[in-house]
Amino acid sequence: MLKGKRILLIVAGGIAAFKSLELIRRLRERGASVRCVLTAAGAKFVTPMSLQALSEDRVYSDMFSLTDESEMGHIQLSRDADLLVVAPATANILARMAAGLADDLAATVLLATDKPVLMAPAMNVRMWTHPATVANVETLKQRGIHFIGPNDGAMACNEYGPGRMSEPEEIVAAIESMLAPAERPPLEKPLAGKRAVVTSGPTREAIDPVRYISNHSSGKQGHAIASALAALGADVTLVSGPVAIADPPGVATVHVDSADQMLTACLAAGRIDIAVCAAAVADWKAARPAGSKIKKRAGMAPPSLELTANPDILATLSKRGPQRPALVVGFAAETENLVANAVDKRQRKGCDWIVANDVSPAIGTFGGERNTVHLISASGVEEWPTLAKGEVAMRLAGRIALHFGRPTKAEAAE
Ligand code: PMT
């Protein structure tokens, strides 16, 4: 529930603006009040009248309106809110915010705010994947701005890929997870005092400044594990490769690109009790990444790419001598002989447990919402039912608490 929470919703100019109307409805159903700022481009897609009717509040658009400024200055507009939500967040507003511009009311409010900000990007797939947008998103994430989406799918411009704004229900869930924790009754904290590192998402290994080797990991499983450990009281550092999902609240997130950077960030976390390596780390990288873009010239044969092995983060943490975490958990992504390969991987890498998951494309584990896993330890193999990734995470966190002799209520009841 969001009872009593005040949301300032900035509606920028994109076809997805129509979903913002539904978002207002959903937020108000949960007890939040919504005040809207509409950009000039946003007003080409939805009318101030519709926003006003659904929010039952006036709509702000003009930075130089004497009436607006005397009734509600632009600074006050952001200070009066518990959370700012930008939906849809266009490439333009992301760029303006990253550059610190204050050239209209929406950008000024975003620059002036001291409140958390959630962005729900929506744009053409090529705009979303353009290096300029990628860099702007990274800059904003590093400044603590939260992101939800975008989702993959067919787009209004007849293209397919990431760029669709998240659905209103998904945005509401992200808002609830940002605002509701303080309202929830205190959870039991069996992992209080324990320090954990979780790796998540893919890594990107540069071939040249514009090309890279990577994979389809979305970070959903790793991020959910970081959240679940934090919910049980652990002090969690999440080391995340490039993903499109929001940083989990209550977790210190370090953003990295490559396996080398991921290893450095894990080691920089210092003494830890628990390591969970859920990232899909690229096994190989270019032996000699080019310093400038490799040119394609007429008649030229395709260049060959020499690869070299990346550091193995899981094995490094598992074999760290006195600094080894008390519990090291790896994942095994397999497409055949799931359990046998995972058992072998646990031994080779030297971790305590390995969570084996089938990543055959037909199953859709990479990027999907659910996961079917086996938990493998020295004492045997446990088969878990197919669960949402959040449930896999909570179950795993519960097992970790039990390992430290501090069962959660759920574990104690089993
Ligand atoms: O991110 P999602 O879309 O939610 O998908 C989740 C997932 C499928 C990525 C996740 O559940 C998963 O299986 N993660 C591990 C993927 C992987 O790289 O598996 P692997 O079998 O290649 O590696 C085994 C283990 O070694 C993993 O813990 C991996 O993090 C680790 N590893 C691998 C190579 C390397 N250089 N360093 C490592 O630490």
Side-chain angles (χ1 to χ4, degrees):
M1 283 301 283
L2 292 167
K3 201 164 168 40
K5 295 294 181 195
R6 297 159 305 171
I7 312 291
L8 184 68
L9 174 64
I10 297 176
V11 181
I15 189 75
F18 77 92
K19 290 192 199 170
S20 307
L21 301 176
E22 184 62 17
L23 176 61
I24 299 172
R25 213 190 292 270
R26 296 271 166 258
L27 288 169
R28 297 207 61 212
E29 275 168 13
R30 284 165 173 81
S33 63
V34 183
R35 176 169 280 160
C36 296
V37 169
L38 182 61
T39 67
K44 307 273 183 209
F45 296 89
V46 288
T47 65
M49 188 75 86
S50 326
L51 296 176
Q52 184 166 326
L54 288 166
S55 64
E56 293 187 80
D57 197 344
R58 50 164 315 183
V59 174
Y60 295 81
S61 302
D62 185 359
M63 190 154 64
F64 300 107
S65 154
L66 286 176
T67 334
D68 287 2
E69 275 297 305
S70 61
E71 285 174 7
M72 170 69 65
H74 56 271
I75 306 286
Q76 200 55 34
L77 210 47
S78 78
R79 297 283 157 85
D80 265 6
D82 295 302
L83 175 73
L84 274 62
V85 178
V86 186
T90 56
N92 181 283
I93 203 158
L94 293 176
R96 288 192 288 139
M97 192 181 180
L101 294 185
D103 53 354
D104 69 358
L105 181 63
T108 307
V109 166
L110 287 167
L111 193 61
T113 192
D114 56 356
K115 297 295 164 56
V117 178
L118 175 67
M119 295 278 183
M123 65 196 75
N124 167 271
V125 56
R126 285 172 216 283
M127 293 169 79
W128 176 247
T129 53
H130 192 285
T133 306
V134 171
N136 290 333
V137 169
E138 196 50 38
T139 301
L140 293 173
K141 282 186 177 175
Q142 273 165 14
R143 287 184 199 148
I145 304 299
H146 296 260
F147 280 79
I148 168 88
N151 292 341
D152 278 0
M155 317 195 69
C157 48
N158 287 331
E159 291 193 72
Y160 187 94
R164 282 171 64 93
M165 187 169 95
S166 297
E167 296 305 318
E169 281 298 344
E170 294 175 291
I171 301 175
V172 169
I175 292 172
E176 281 178 333
S177 79
M178 289 175 73
L179 291 181
E183 286 180 350
R184 287 199 195 118
L187 288 169
E188 48 172 352
K189 305 280 185 200
L191 290 175
K194 299 286 176 204
R195 298 192 66 235
V197 162
V198 179
T199 69
S200 181
T203 63
R204 275 184 193 168
E205 311 300 334
I207 295 171
D208 68 15
V210 297
R211 304 180 177 99
Y212 54 81
I213 301 167
S214 192
N215 59 66
H216 296 293
S217 168
S218 63
K220 287 178 188 168
Q221 186 62 82
H223 280 49
I225 292 167
S227 286
L229 291 172
L232 295 190
D235 172 2
V236 183
T237 300
L238 171 65
V239 183
S240 171
V243 294
I245 58 174
D247 294 349
V251 165
T253 305
V254 182
H255 298 274
V256 298
D257 269 344
S258 65
D260 285 311
Q261 292 169 355
M262 189 170 269
L263 176 61
T264 304
C266 288
L267 298 179
R271 228 189 158 79
I272 50 172
D273 305 289
I274 303 155
V276 182
C277 294
V281 183
D283 287 309
W284 301 285
K285 61 184 169 187
R288 279 172 293 282
S292 52
K293 186 184 168 203
I294 302 168
K295 285 283 184 204
K296 184 180 167 197
R297 297 202 173 78
M300 170 182 155
S304 56
L305 183 62
E306 191 189 333
L307 298 177
T308 185
N310 256 327
D312 192 312
I313 299 161
L314 175 63
T316 307
L317 295 175
S318 299
K319 298 173 185 169
R320 244 193 129 190
Q323 291 241 56
R324 185 192 195 275
L327 182 66
V328 182
V329 184
F331 268 73
E334 305 293 342
T335 50
E336 55 199 349
N337 302 330
L338 177 67
V339 173
N341 284 347
V343 166
D344 177 56
K345 208 169 260 181
R346 188 184 80 83
Q347 274 160 4
R348 270 191 293 116
K349 303 228 180 194
C351 55
D352 302 295
W353 301 351
I354 204 148
V355 182
N357 49 191
D358 190 337
V359 294
S360 308
I363 295 187
T365 306
F366 268 95
E369 303 302 326
R370 298 167 79 73
N371 204 352
T372 312
V373 309
H374 291 73
L375 179 64
I376 298 169
S377 66
S379 48
V381 178
E382 251 182 54
E383 191 178 338
W384 292 4
T386 300
L387 296 167
K389 285 181 176 172
E391 291 168 321
V392 170
M394 281 312 294
R395 221 182 226 236
L396 183 64
R399 287 304 158 87
I400 291 173
L402 189 62
H403 173 82
F404 287 100
R406 303 165 174 188
T408 56
K409 282 182 193 143
E411 291 291 340
E414 271 192 12

